Amino acid sequence: MNIDEACVSCIINQSLKVANAIGADKALTQKLYTTVEKMGEHFPFSQTPPEIAADVYEKMAQIAQKEDLYDEVKSLSTKKAYSFIPFLKEKLASSENKLLTATKIAVAGNVIDLAAEVEFDLQEELDKIFHTEFSHNDFEKLELELQKAKNIVVLGDNVGEHIFDYLFIETVQKLYPSLDIVYMVRGRPIINDVTMKEAQEAGFEKLCKLVDSGVNTPGFTYSRATKEAQYLFDSADLILSKGMGNYECLTPTHRDNICFLLKVKCGVVAASLEKEVGDIICKLT
């Protein structure tokens, strides 16, 4: 999906979030904001929000002289996510439908999004998500596709969320032990998206095949992916796409059998899905 007028102000305002994250002084904060505001006058409306964000964040990284603008925040997000793991493992252990519980856990983690228009509290989401229905509910279709699939690709999204993805993949592997699973991450630091660094630290290489997609966008932009990532994306029986960035990049795309798992965190995506901000989505195309 291409950017909307509402996306412009959202992306510009992200410069203030970056300034806060890196502890920028008044002068640097002003420079970040005015630079992105100027870029906003020329955003091409033929591109997706993640494609625009890639250029914006590259420019902000140059100005701040800091390659990973959210490195400290990502570390804190990971620690916070780990603090919930004992509780989530108890939920899984007592669950009668472990796949549904694990899927809800994976979606709950999607609230950890530093670029979203609306922010949600992780503790609050975990308290209610197991009692919340998917607003778009293709879960039964997802379960059938997993039963048939020989190989799947999970497109990672944000740091912290990836810890919940680990628990999800671990559960899927136990339920479908013959299934080959690929976890795909971003090619370089962009916003708070998961890269090889964070995925390796979490031990994904011991869990499943871990692949660097090569993309520099906060979403899977197929044209920017490596040949290996494109091949895996095209040949997988099923794609599990986490988060809004991946949804924005893959709506539309050239293949079907993609299951979008996300929390709706902005009005533009809500309108695209014909849902409300705050809804949780399990949509199979």
Side-chain angles (χ1 to χ4, degrees), residues 219-247:
F220 184 76
T221 303
Y222 182 86
S223 62
R224 301 191 187 194
T226 65
K227 294 298 182 183
E228 179 192 17
Q230 289 179 345
Y231 171 79
L232 291 168
F233 180 85
D234 289 337
S235 61
D237 293 328
L238 173 68
I239 304 292
L240 291 175
S241 169
K242 295 292 309 296
M244 290 202 311
N246 287 320
Y247 173 79

Side-chain angles (χ1 to χ4, degrees), residues 80-112:
K80 185 173 183 178
Y82 271 126
S83 73
F84 290 107
I85 292 301
F87 163 73
L88 296 175
K89 285 187 173 180
E90 285 184 14
K91 280 285 186 183
L92 276 169
S94 61
S95 173
E96 294 182 1
N97 189 333
K98 288 181 169 46
L99 180 62
L100 177 59
T101 299
T103 304
K104 290 281 189 73
I105 288 170
V107 173
N110 187 234
V111 306
I112 309 173

Side-chain angles (χ1 to χ4, degrees), residues 143-173:
E143 190 170 24
L144 289 173
E145 290 301 323
L146 283 170
Q147 291 170 2
K148 296 187 297 182
K150 294 181 180 179
N151 52 77
I152 68 171
V153 169
V154 180
L155 298 176
D157 191 25
N158 300 317
V159 172
E161 179 181 353
H162 75 300
I163 302 302
F164 293 178
D165 292 344
Y166 188 102
L167 200 54
F168 169 78
I169 292 173
E170 191 175 52
T171 303
V172 170
Q173 284 185 330

Side-chain angles (χ1 to χ4, degrees), residues 23-130:
D25 60 22
K26 187 176 180 180
L28 179 54
T29 298
Q30 185 63 31
K31 186 173 184 179
L32 289 168
Y33 183 83
T34 55
T35 298
V36 178
E37 185 179 40
K38 188 69 176 176
M39 292 178 73
E41 296 174 5
H42 306 286
F43 285 164
F45 282 76
S46 60
Q47 291 189 338
T48 65
E51 288 176 308
I52 299 293
D55 294 336
V56 168
Y57 275 83
E58 181 179 359
K59 186 64 175 179
M60 286 195 290
Q62 292 172 357
I63 293 170
Q65 297 182 325
K66 185 176 176 66
E67 181 182 5
D68 190 346
L69 293 165
Y70 280 119
D71 54 355
E72 294 178 4
V73 179
K74 289 194 291 186
S75 178
L76 291 174
S77 295
T78 299
K79 289 177 182 177
K80 185 173 183 178
Y82 271 126
S83 73
F84 290 107
I85 292 301
F87 163 73
L88 296 175
K89 285 187 173 180
E90 285 184 14
K91 280 285 186 183
L92 276 169
S94 61
S95 173
E96 294 182 1
N97 189 333
K98 288 181 169 46
L99 180 62
L100 177 59
T101 299
T103 304
K104 290 281 189 73
I105 288 170
V107 173
N110 187 234
V111 306
I112 309 173
D113 187 345
L114 301 180
E117 176 185 24
V118 178
E119 296 182 4
F120 296 88
D121 181 77
L122 182 56
Q123 176 71 68
E124 183 180 333
E125 290 302 307
L126 289 173
D127 286 342
K128 69 182 183 182
I129 196 162
F130 301 109

Side-chain angles (χ1 to χ4, degrees), residues 188-212:
R188 56 177 295 178
I190 176 70
I191 316 183
N192 65 322
D193 286 31
V194 61
T195 67
M196 287 293 283
K197 176 181 180 292
E198 295 86 19
Q200 287 172 339
E201 288 172 351
F204 273 87
E205 288 177 306
K206 300 174 184 176
L207 179 69
C208 61
K209 182 178 175 64
L210 178 60
V211 173
D212 180 338

